[in-house]
């Protein structure tokens, strides 16, 4: 009997990788169909970066920045990688460090979930913790300060500094943008991206904007962050949001911006799980909420792609825990009411 194999298994030799870092970026794009009624008349796609080997898009940044540091002689055998991270970039560095034999120290804070802490330790990373809080309830500035001190005092230490490293967007100009181009070419009306360090948006813009000037690049932030809104406020979300404006973010490249309430973002995460079979991270709820609102404003037949940064399994003790949601004052919007909640969302112009 002759078997017809799916395309991804038709050439097993092409699937072989020399190490885990070479498997980064091989992720699917799926169409959303049931999470909101707008998906019936517009083509809404989600690029599942959650399918990277360690579960997040930040493995691309980690791999590219480590490769660059090795080539430049900044990171040598026996060296130590040091970074400030709320989770995903730290995990990415821990994965690359384990594969290449480096010591890894990740500076975390109270918002770093137990799931992320266990993941980091499982990959062999060491944790250093800070507790100083700024006006937005964030500890990012304290984390960066400690990571800087550790890099200056540990022999062979290298601090990639995702927030300020001008090479941070390279991974997305080299890989993510080309993956989007391969999938959609010029047949894409908008690309919706969560904004934090600025690496994703700036790298995508660098490659895609000159080639597809009509493509709308849409940035998404969480309410309480100051990336698009100058008024800081405490927020629980990790993955997107900052207490300062990221120097790596190319604000000029952003055609439209959204600041999404946490309650809507977390409700969307539950709706995606229950209606699409997609258990994804907290920032994905904000990104999809913004993308679906934009889809409502575009003509029928429009094609909108959204970037999903990470998996939902690392948030089972937070946004997927009903007790955690209640304790933190969040009430889920029922899936059948998501259309109305999406309609009430507002877009704005990104600051220049």
């Amino acid at each position: 009997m002759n078997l017809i194999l799916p395309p991804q298994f038709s050439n097993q030799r092409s699937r072989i990788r020399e190490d885990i870092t070479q498997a980064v970026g091989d992720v699917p794009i799926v169409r959303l169909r049931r999470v909101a009624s707008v998906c019936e008349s517009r083509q809404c796609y989600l690029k599942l970066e959650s399918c990277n080997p360690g579960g997040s898009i930040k493995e691309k940044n980690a791999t590219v920045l480590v490769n660059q540091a090795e080539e430049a002689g900044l990171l040598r055998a026996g060296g130590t990688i040091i970074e400030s991270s709320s989770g995903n970039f730290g995990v990415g560095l821990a994965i690359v460090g384990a594969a290449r034999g480096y010591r890894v120290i990740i500076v975390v804070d109270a918002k770093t979930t137990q799931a992320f802490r266990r993941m980091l330790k499982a990959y062999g990373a060491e944790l250093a913790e800070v507790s100083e809080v700024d006006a937005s309830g964030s500890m990012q500035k304290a984390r960066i300060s400690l990571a800087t001190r550790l890099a200056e005092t540990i022999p062979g230490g290298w601090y990639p500094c995702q927030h300020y490293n001008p090479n941070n967007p390279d991974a997305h100009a080299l890989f993510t943008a080309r993956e989007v181009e391969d999938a959609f070419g010029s047949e894409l009306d908008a690309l919706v991206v969560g904004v934090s360090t600025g690496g994703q948006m700036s790298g995508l813009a660098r490659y895609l904007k000159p080639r597809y000037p009509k493509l709308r690049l849409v940035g998404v932030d969480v309410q309480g962050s100051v990336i698009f809104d100058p008024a800081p406020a405490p927020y629980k979300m990790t993955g997107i949001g900052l207490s300062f404006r990221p120097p790596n973010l190319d604000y000029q490249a952003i055609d439209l911006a959204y600041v999404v309430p946490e309650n809507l973002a977390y409700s969307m995460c539950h709706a995606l799980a229950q209606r699409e079979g997609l258990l994804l991270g907290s920032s994905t709820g904000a990104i999809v909420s913004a993308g679906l609102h934009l889809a409502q404003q575009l003509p029928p037949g429009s094609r909108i792609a959204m970037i999903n940064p990470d998996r939902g399994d690392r948030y089972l003790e937070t946004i997927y825990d009903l007790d955690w949601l209640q304790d933190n004052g969040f009430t889920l919007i029922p899936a059948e009411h998501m259309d109305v909640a999406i309609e009430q969302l507002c877009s704005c112009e990104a600051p220049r």
Side-chain angles (χ1 to χ4, degrees):
M1 181 174 64
N2 293 324
L3 296 177
I4 299 175
L5 295 176
Q8 63 266 36
F9 298 112
S10 61
N11 185 350
Q12 286 290 349
R13 180 171 294 181
S14 69
R15 308 291 293 178
I16 295 172
R17 304 290 184 265
E18 293 300 318
D19 69 13
I20 193 69
T21 64
Q22 292 185 6
V24 172
D26 188 9
V27 306
I29 298 171
V30 300
R31 184 171 176 179
L32 302 179
R33 294 189 178 274
R34 298 186 64 245
V35 72
S37 61
V38 71
C39 298
E40 299 172 8
S41 57
R42 281 76 167 173
Q43 299 179 47
C44 300
Y45 295 93
L46 197 56
K47 190 173 191 298
L48 295 178
E49 296 291 344
S50 55
C51 292
N52 279 300
S56 93
I57 196 169
K58 290 297 186 77
E59 292 153 50
K60 291 178 174 178
N61 303 69
T63 300
V64 169
L65 290 176
V66 168
N67 287 345
Q68 291 176 341
E70 290 174 340
E71 291 171 4
L74 301 174
L75 185 59
R76 303 176 184 274
T80 300
I81 301 171
I82 301 150
E83 183 57 272
S84 158
S85 172
S86 63
N88 283 323
F89 187 52
V91 171
L93 289 170
I95 290 171
V96 180
R100 304 275 176 88
Y102 297 118
R103 180 188 181 194
V104 178
I105 302 173
I106 304 300
V107 182
V108 300
D109 59 45
K111 288 175 68 174
T112 307
T113 67
Q114 289 302 315
F116 273 121
R117 292 167 187 264
R118 287 193 289 268
M119 289 177 67
L120 288 164
K121 291 178 181 178
Y123 285 118
E126 303 167 38
L127 306 186
E129 186 152 1
V130 299
S131 57
E132 296 89 347
V133 180
D134 59 30
S136 66
S138 169
M139 289 164 263
Q140 290 158 339
K141 294 177 182 177
R143 289 203 324 252
I144 291 170
S145 178
L146 177 56
T148 301
R149 293 199 304 272
L150 290 173
E152 291 172 349
T153 56
I154 295 175
W158 171 68
Y159 174 25
C161 192
Q162 60 174 326
H163 298 93
Y164 292 97
N165 191 330
N167 296 329
N168 194 24
D170 289 354
H172 305 293
L174 292 169
F175 296 106
T176 313
R178 297 170 194 237
E179 293 156 12
V180 171
E181 181 182 45
D182 287 345
F184 297 103
S186 61
E187 302 299 317
L188 188 64
D189 296 292
L191 182 62
V192 186
V193 184
V195 177
S196 179
T197 65
Q200 287 182 53
M201 178 60 78
S202 297
L204 289 163
R206 183 196 306 169
Y207 183 87
L208 294 172
K209 274 290 190 179
R211 292 166 174 81
Y212 308 105
K214 294 183 180 180
L215 175 67
R216 297 190 192 188
L217 287 182
V218 181
V220 181
D221 198 17
V222 62
Q223 203 168 67
S225 166
V226 302
I227 295 175
F228 297 137
D229 186 345
Y235 58 92
K236 296 291 183 181
M237 187 176 291
T238 58
I240 60 173
L242 281 179
S243 58
F244 55 91
R245 291 183 64 172
N248 276 331
L249 180 58
D250 181 3
Y251 281 89
Q252 300 296 323
I254 301 174
D255 298 300
L256 201 63
Y258 284 87
V259 178
V260 179
E262 287 184 88
N263 198 68
L264 175 57
Y266 302 156
S267 299
M268 180 60 72
C269 287
H270 284 257
L272 285 166
Q274 294 164 15
R275 294 200 164 187
E276 302 284 356
L278 295 169
L279 189 73
L280 305 174
S282 58
S283 61
T284 302
I287 293 161
V288 172
S289 297
L292 295 180
H293 181 272
L294 175 64
Q296 292 176 342
Q297 318 308 311
L298 296 179
S302 297
R303 304 182 97 194
I304 302 97
M306 298 160 271
I307 305 290
N308 149 238
D310 67 352
R311 290 197 306 249
D313 53 0
R314 56 201 71 189
Y315 302 95
L316 291 176
E317 296 173 352
T318 54
I319 69 164
Y320 291 106
D321 184 326
L322 296 181
D323 291 333
W324 183 90
L325 290 169
Q326 183 177 9
D327 291 344
N328 286 281
F330 300 114
T331 302
L332 290 178
I333 302 165
E336 59 269 23
H337 296 159
M338 289 304 297
D339 281 349
V340 175
I342 293 166
E343 287 175 7
Q344 295 173 346
L345 195 59
C346 297
S347 61
C348 60
E349 289 188 6
R352 303 301 181 188

